[in-house]
């Protein structure tokens, strides 16, 4: 009984984090171009300070357009979606008692792609000073599936080991 209660708390916690991340991403997508650029510059400055502190002063110029673009793509797209994909995969797998694994994973990966498209073409593209692009959808989705695939691999590895242990 206690285990079922903890499992439910786990599911609810994942659902809350999942929804909160989506709301956060929607809010970030709705930032106008100037605010988004300013936010990216602050992140680029902080990232450059860390890199220059570790690798030596002058290694990275935070004012460089190529560096700011890298920060925007890696942190603003890829990393956000790595986090979203991880939570999404864990949340959908927590529902496995009611639905088949492959269906849950199909839903999770589909939601990730649909959310990437919506964030680019329905939110960013309609926001002043911003535009959507298929390359950003690709970066978003690549981020989404990166850690998700690792989680799925570990999940099936554990499931396989349990089934072998039970068959002995």
């Amino acid at each position: 009984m206690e285990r079922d209660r903890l499992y439910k708390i786990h599911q609810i916690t994942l659902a809350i984090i999942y929804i909160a991340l989506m709301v956060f991403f929607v809010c970030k997508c709705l930032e106008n171009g100037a605010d988004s650029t300013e936010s990216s510059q602050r992140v680029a400055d902080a990232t450059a300070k860390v890199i220059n502190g570790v690798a030596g002063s002058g290694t990275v110029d935070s004012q460089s357009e190529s560096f700011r673009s890298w920060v925007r793509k890696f942190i603003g797209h890829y990393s956000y979606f790595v986090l979203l994909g991880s939570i999404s995969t864990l949340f959908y797998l927590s529902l496995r008692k009611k639905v088949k694994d492959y269906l849950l994973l199909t839903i999770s990966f589909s939601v990730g792609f649909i959310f990437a498209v919506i964030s680019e073409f329905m939110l960013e593209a309609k926001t002043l000073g911003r535009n959507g692009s298929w390359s950003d959808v690709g970066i978003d989705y690549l981020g989404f599936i990166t850690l998700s695939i690792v989680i799925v691999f570990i999940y099936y590895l554990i499931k396989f080991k349990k089934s072998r242990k039970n068959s002995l």
Side-chain angles (χ1 to χ4, degrees):
M1 192 65 167
E2 179 66 21
R3 186 178 173 125
D4 288 340
R5 188 171 154 264
L6 287 174
Y7 192 77
K8 275 289 183 211
I9 290 170
H10 170 78
Q11 283 180 317
I12 291 168
T13 303
L14 283 171
I16 290 169
I17 294 169
Y18 188 41
I19 292 167
L21 281 173
M22 287 186 142
V23 169
F24 173 76
F25 294 157
V26 167
C27 291
K28 292 302 281 180
C29 288
L30 294 174
E31 277 185 348
N32 67 45
D35 289 345
S36 177
T37 300
E38 182 182 322
S39 176
S40 292
Q41 187 59 52
R42 284 194 310 270
V43 173
D45 291 341
T47 305
K49 282 182 185 178
V50 170
I51 293 170
N52 288 333
V54 172
S57 184
T59 304
V60 174
D61 175 16
S62 67
Q63 300 303 312
S64 158
E65 183 59 38
S66 63
F67 182 72
R68 282 186 301 182
S69 176
W70 178 83
V71 166
R72 180 179 284 270
K73 299 301 181 195
F74 183 76
I75 295 174
H77 287 271
Y78 183 83
S79 296
Y80 280 168
F81 274 83
V82 164
L83 184 59
L84 182 64
S86 303
I87 296 299
S88 175
T89 302
L90 291 171
F91 171 69
Y92 283 103
L93 284 175
S94 78
L95 304 174
R96 69 187 176 277
K97 290 182 178 178
K98 296 179 170 76
V99 184
K100 297 282 186 197
D101 295 349
Y102 68 88
L103 183 58
L104 292 170
L105 294 171
T106 301
I107 292 169
S108 178
F109 283 40
S110 297
V111 167
F113 182 76
I114 291 166
F115 191 71
V117 170
I118 288 171
S119 69
E120 285 298 316
F121 293 108
M122 293 183 78
L123 300 173
E124 283 188 27
K126 305 296 184 210
T127 304
L128 182 65
R130 299 189 69 178
N131 57 23
S133 75
W134 282 107
S135 65
D136 285 351
V137 169
I139 293 168
D140 293 347
Y141 194 63
L142 182 62
F144 189 93
I145 65 171
T146 299
L147 196 51
S148 297
I149 289 172
V150 172
I151 291 168
V152 169
F153 177 75
I154 292 169
Y155 169 77
Y156 278 110
L157 186 63
I158 291 168
K159 195 174 177 178
F160 174 73
K161 284 186 175 188
K162 280 183 180 180
S163 70
R164 282 193 60 193
K165 184 179 176 182
N166 291 339
S167 68
L168 293 177

